[in-house]
């Protein structure tokens, strides 16, 4: 009967000769199951030179954490032979088939840990697995680096460069997406032109051709444009809706703040009917789409629209710009988009609201890039969905708000890496 149990676990653990389970110890109080695994071979091949039939010099005891068996924490223990080679003269420890060298986890445990970290914050995954989160971070970095090294970036043609920050307004990280394959290609600290050059070096290291890149979507920072001009000679630049509308909202907010400061009584009078919290409601109402207005925001916005305030004009201009984008999405015609945008620009230039005039000037100098960003609905939806996923990656690295941790988790989740270990619990996996 005893023999039957060992044989059962030998096969449950996927062990093949010369490895077998020699002893199983179940500790129900500590909820722990320990497997003593033995290498039964008398002679072994030398791991260093491959010479067969070498003598075992000694054995060193090691342990590995394995996947739980039901609610029992499972551990493997083995005396791992060192081979004294008569051929090359070296003494070398053999590798065990269930773990990578140097790891205290079995490969199956590591694969499960990685799969959990794709779905859960790392701290939570560690808690679930009852291990230290530091141990998981080390493995995420190891496997991500290994898997990224095997990725091919050949044929990458359309990319998006964007920045994100770990804390509001600091710790900037640049992210580069493949907008066709919808995957994260590259992330690093900083947001200057050198960041773009570093990305291009990484692209080349993965078999990509800088001259294949024919399109770059980005914000209007001069640094990214400089980097792209230096290292991506064939790329046309486009500025996507997300960034352009964000600039319009900023300009509109600047008008509202200025007016509140310069003419508080006029604002007060205009909003009188909308109640005491009208100013605050106005700020949010102006930024949101009408579909998202709360009843209180409706009231403030209604008062605003009937007023002669500068804020009302700024809001109309912002909405009109959104409308220009909405129409372009429907007609998708370059000439129409350019014409439509020019009408908006000439309105903005004549509006006597300084922030809007400045925005119009900026858009005018980058007109072709702005027009390109209006067509094909190119990156907009994707850029926005990527932003959502990046926010999730930030939450996954919570408590470890170092760029290094965030970048590792972002690669794990957003890069579609095809050479990560397969979860032992995934349907269709072989073990
Ligand atoms: Zn040897």
């Amino acid at each position: 009967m005893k023999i039957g149990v060992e044989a059962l676990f030998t096969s449950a653990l996927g062990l093949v000769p010369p490895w077998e389970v020699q002893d199983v110890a179940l500790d129900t109080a500590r909820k722990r199951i320990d497997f003593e695994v033995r290498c039964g071979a008398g002679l072994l091949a030398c791991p260093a030179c491959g010479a067969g039939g070498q003598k075992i010099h000694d054995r060193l005891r090691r342990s590995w954490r394995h996947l739980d068996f039901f609610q029992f924490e499972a551990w493997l223990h083995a005396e791992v032979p060192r081979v004294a080679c008569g051929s090359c003269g070296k003494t070398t420890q053999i590798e065990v088939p269930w773990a990578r060298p140097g790891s205290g986890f079995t490969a199956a445990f590591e694969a499960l840990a990685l799969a959990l970290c794709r779905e859960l914050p790392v701290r939570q995954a560690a808690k679930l697995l009852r291990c230290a989160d530091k141990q998981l971070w080390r493995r995420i970095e190891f496997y991500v680096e290994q898997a990224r090294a095997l990725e091919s970036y050949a044929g990458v043609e359309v990319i998006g460069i964007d920045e994100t920050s770990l804390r509001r307004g600091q710790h900037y990280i640049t992210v580069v997406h493949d907008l066709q394959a919808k995957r994260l290609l590259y992330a690093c600290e900083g947001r200057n032109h050198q960041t773009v050059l570093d990305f291009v070096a990484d692209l080349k290291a993965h078999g990509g051709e800088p001259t294949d890149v024919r399109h770059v979507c980005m914000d209007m920072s001069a640094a990214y444009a400089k980097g792209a001009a230096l290292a991506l000679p064939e790329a046309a630049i486009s500025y996507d809706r997300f960034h352009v509308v964000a600039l319009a909202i900023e300009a509109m907010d600047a008008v509202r703040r200025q007016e509140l400061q310069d003419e508080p009584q006029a604002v007060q009078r205009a909003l009188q009917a909308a109640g005491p919290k009208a100013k605050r409601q106005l700020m949010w109402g102006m930024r949101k789409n009408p579909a998202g207005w709360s009843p209180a925001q409706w009231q403030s916005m209604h008062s605003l629209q009937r007023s002669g305030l500068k804020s009302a004009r700024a809001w109309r201009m912002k909405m009109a710009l959104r409308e220009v984008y909405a129409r372009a999405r429907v007609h998708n015609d370059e000439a129409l988009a350019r014409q439509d945008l020019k009408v908006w620009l000439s309105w903005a230039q004549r509006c006597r609201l300084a922030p809007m005039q400045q925005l119009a000037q900026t858009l005018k100098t980058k007109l072709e890039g702005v027009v390109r960003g209006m067509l094909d609905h190119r990156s907009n939806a994707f850029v926005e969905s990527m932003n959502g996923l990046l926010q999730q990656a930030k939450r996954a690295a919570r408590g470890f708000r170092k760029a290094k941790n965030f970048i590792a988790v972002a690669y794990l989740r957003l890069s579609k890496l095809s050479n990560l270990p397969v979860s032992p619990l995934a349907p269709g996996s072989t073990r």
Side-chain angles (χ1 to χ4, degrees):
M1 195 62 202
K2 193 163 180 278
I3 296 207
V5 170
E6 274 88 44
L8 178 69
F9 279 113
T10 296
S11 101
L13 289 167
L15 298 178
V16 291
W19 296 98
E20 60 177 6
V21 172
Q22 192 183 26
D23 192 33
V24 183
L26 189 68
D27 185 335
T28 48
R30 288 166 66 209
K31 295 209 163 185
R32 196 179 143 127
I33 186 164
D34 287 88
F35 298 101
E36 189 63 41
V37 179
R38 184 178 159 76
C39 175
L43 296 172
L44 288 164
C46 166
C49 74
Q54 302 299 314
K55 278 187 195 143
I56 293 171
H57 175 70
D58 59 2
R59 293 171 189 257
L60 299 178
R61 185 155 185 81
R62 289 185 54 198
S63 298
W64 298 264
R65 173 83 188 278
H66 189 53
L67 299 175
D68 290 3
F69 273 83
F70 303 102
Q71 74 272 44
F72 293 95
E73 190 170 302
W75 288 79
L76 265 58
H77 310 276
E79 313 246 308
V80 183
R82 286 201 304 166
V83 171
C85 182
S87 177
C88 71
K90 289 177 186 155
T91 302
T92 318
Q93 188 167 46
I94 66 165
E95 285 184 16
V96 296
W98 56 82
R100 70 189 162 86
S103 178
F105 292 159
T106 64
F109 187 91
E110 287 189 335
L112 176 67
L114 229 53
L116 285 178
C117 290
R118 296 180 80 148
E119 308 296 332
L120 299 174
V122 174
R123 178 160 282 178
Q124 207 177 323
K127 215 172 154 192
L128 211 63
L129 294 164
R130 297 180 309 281
C131 66
D133 31 31
K134 218 167 122 188
Q135 293 176 302
L136 295 191
W137 281 114
R138 263 206 313 270
R139 275 142 181 110
I140 291 170
E141 280 166 33
F142 172 83
Y143 281 112
V144 159
E145 194 187 327
Q146 196 185 51
R148 270 196 90 239
L150 297 169
E151 283 295 303
S152 167
Y153 293 170
V156 170
E157 293 180 337
V158 181
I159 62 170
I161 304 178
D162 206 350
E163 63 174 46
T164 187
S165 64
L166 280 191
R167 290 195 189 82
R168 208 181 171 81
Q170 50 176 323
H171 268 89
Y172 284 99
I173 289 172
T174 295
V175 290
V176 184
H177 299 298
D178 177 342
L179 294 182
Q180 288 171 312
K182 302 198 188 322
R183 57 178 172 165
L184 172 65
L185 293 176
Y186 185 73
C188 75
E189 286 185 79
R191 51 166 175 172
N192 50 29
H193 82 275
Q194 183 60 41
T195 343
V196 181
L197 303 187
D198 292 345
F199 156 68
V200 173
D202 189 71
L203 178 79
K204 285 193 208 161
H206 288 91
E209 267 302 328
T211 49
D212 284 351
V213 178
R214 53 182 171 78
H215 206 110
V216 190
C217 294
M218 57 168 80
D219 64 18
M220 293 193 175
S221 87
Y224 288 157
K226 181 181 172 189
L230 284 170
L232 298 167
E234 302 296 323
I237 290 174
S238 74
Y239 304 104
D240 60 72
R241 182 191 64 179
F242 185 77
H243 290 114
V244 175
V245 171
L247 290 178
I249 291 174
E250 269 173 42
M252 175 193 77
D253 266 344
V255 171
R256 182 185 53 80
R257 276 196 306 270
Q258 193 65 46
E259 188 169 43
L260 210 55
Q261 203 181 334
D262 296 349
E263 295 160 75
Q265 281 100 358
V267 177
Q268 197 63 43
R269 262 198 314 279
L271 296 180
Q272 218 156 27
K277 289 182 180 164
K279 271 186 262 179
R280 198 169 163 72
Q281 299 301 338
L282 187 67
M283 176 180 82
W284 292 111
M286 285 173 76
R287 290 179 188 173
K288 277 194 216 168
N289 273 332
W293 287 343
S294 68
Q297 286 163 356
W298 266 110
Q299 279 198 333
S300 301
M301 291 304 292
H302 185 64
S303 300
L304 178 76
Q305 286 167 64
R306 292 192 308 168
S307 76
L309 293 177
K310 290 175 184 163
S311 301
R313 253 189 299 153
W315 177 74
R316 275 181 217 119
M317 301 199 66
K318 187 259 297 188
M319 293 306 283
L321 185 61
R322 290 193 80 113
E323 204 40 48
V324 168
Y325 272 93
R327 280 196 297 274
R329 196 172 155 178
V330 175
H331 61 62
N332 202 33
D333 179 293
E334 190 181 331
L336 273 180
R338 187 180 292 109
Q339 188 190 340
D340 229 8
L341 182 64
K342 279 185 169 170
V343 170
W344 187 89
L345 288 175
S346 83
W347 178 26
Q349 282 174 314
R350 287 181 285 107
C351 74
R352 284 173 286 128
L353 303 172
M356 283 295 176
Q357 287 173 318
Q358 266 163 29
L359 172 63
Q361 195 51 43
T362 307
L363 298 185
K364 213 175 159 184
T365 58
K366 299 179 189 304
L367 189 74
E368 290 313 306
V370 177
V371 170
R372 271 193 294 271
M374 297 168 77
L375 303 171
D376 293 338
H377 190 40
R378 220 179 289 269
S379 66
N380 296 323
F382 175 67
V383 166
E384 283 167 44
S385 80
M386 266 329 220
N387 277 328
L389 293 174
L390 286 170
Q391 295 310 320
Q392 283 178 21
K394 278 176 210 168
R395 284 196 287 278
R398 198 164 50 198
F400 302 89
R401 290 204 154 190
K402 286 184 193 144
K404 188 175 84 146
N405 297 97
F406 165 68
I407 289 170
V409 162
Y411 281 141
L412 178 69
R413 293 174 168 218
L414 308 183
S415 289
K416 300 189 175 172
L417 298 171
S418 43
N419 289 289
L420 288 172
V422 177
S423 165
L425 304 184
S429 81
T430 49
R431 276 201 40 197

